[in-house]
Amino acid sequence: MTQCDFSHRTPSALHELEPDALHDAETLALAQKVAYEENPNSPFPKYYSGEVIVRPMDGRAVSHREEINLGSSDRPLSAGEIVAKYRENAAMSLSGIINSHLTMASAVQCHGTQAQKSLYLRRFATGELRGGIGLTEPDAGTDLQAIHARGATARTTW
């Protein structure tokens, strides 16, 4: 098989999961041509490996395999890649406002002290401050289901 370099491709971002993208006619037509099979030797859940094989009409097979996913502890993102991924996802202003921004504002509204409410809520509402949430741990990347850490109460504290 011919090996291809897909490293020029922009990393996946949240905008690819928006309803318009998921209902795009061209994307859906392509999806009808896709088949998959599970790899019994997959290192999942430690890594999210995968391979794509494209067979153009000329009969060639063009492939690319990622054994260790980018963002795992054995293949970490650089500081620049983390910043770029954050900025790309945070740039989705409406989704950002609806999701993490409102989550942060709601947390302050419901659980903040009066001083915190006075300091932050107006600034959240005017856009002077933006709320955000970043959840990760080694070996989890941005996959929240792969996070193993858990909070537990110890008398009156966490």
Side-chain angles (χ1 to χ4, degrees):
M1 281 189 210
T2 305
Q3 293 292 315
C4 288
D5 178 13
F6 292 96
S7 61
H8 65 281
R9 172 146 170 4
T10 302
S12 292
L14 295 176
H15 67 84
E16 294 174 341
L17 301 175
E18 290 293 313
D20 287 347
L22 295 176
H23 295 97
D24 176 70
E26 192 174 323
T27 301
L28 293 173
L30 177 62
Q32 292 298 314
K33 300 176 183 180
V34 173
Y36 78 94
E37 58 186 62
E38 291 185 26
N39 177 357
N41 300 316
S42 170
F44 179 81
K46 180 171 179 153
Y47 302 120
Y48 295 87
S49 61
E51 179 176 28
V52 63
I53 303 170
V54 177
R55 298 183 192 284
M57 291 172 41
D58 66 8
R60 293 176 297 132
V62 182
S63 71
H64 179 77
R65 177 163 189 73
E66 294 287 341
E67 192 63 35
I68 300 174
N69 58 291
L70 188 60
S72 70
S73 62
D74 291 328
R75 193 173 165 213
L77 293 168
S78 69
E81 290 168 320
I82 291 170
V83 168
K85 183 173 183 177
Y86 173 81
R87 286 185 174 157
E88 184 175 347
N89 289 327
M92 298 173 27
S93 60
L94 184 56
S95 293
I97 289 169
I98 291 171
N99 294 321
S100 62
H101 183 70
L102 284 183
T103 300
M104 292 302 298
S106 295
V108 172
Q109 176 66 35
C110 295
H111 305 288
T113 65
Q114 191 56 48
Q116 290 168 329
K117 291 176 186 180
S118 296
L119 180 62
Y120 296 116
L121 288 179
R122 183 192 60 75
R123 295 167 68 197
F124 278 146
T126 63
E128 180 184 348
L129 286 180
R130 291 291 309 221
I133 301 171
L135 302 171
T136 190
E137 70 179 25
D139 298 319
T142 57
D143 178 8
L144 297 182
Q145 293 184 21
I147 292 178
H148 298 288
R150 299 290 182 258
T153 57
R155 297 187 185 163
T156 60
T157 64
W158 289 89

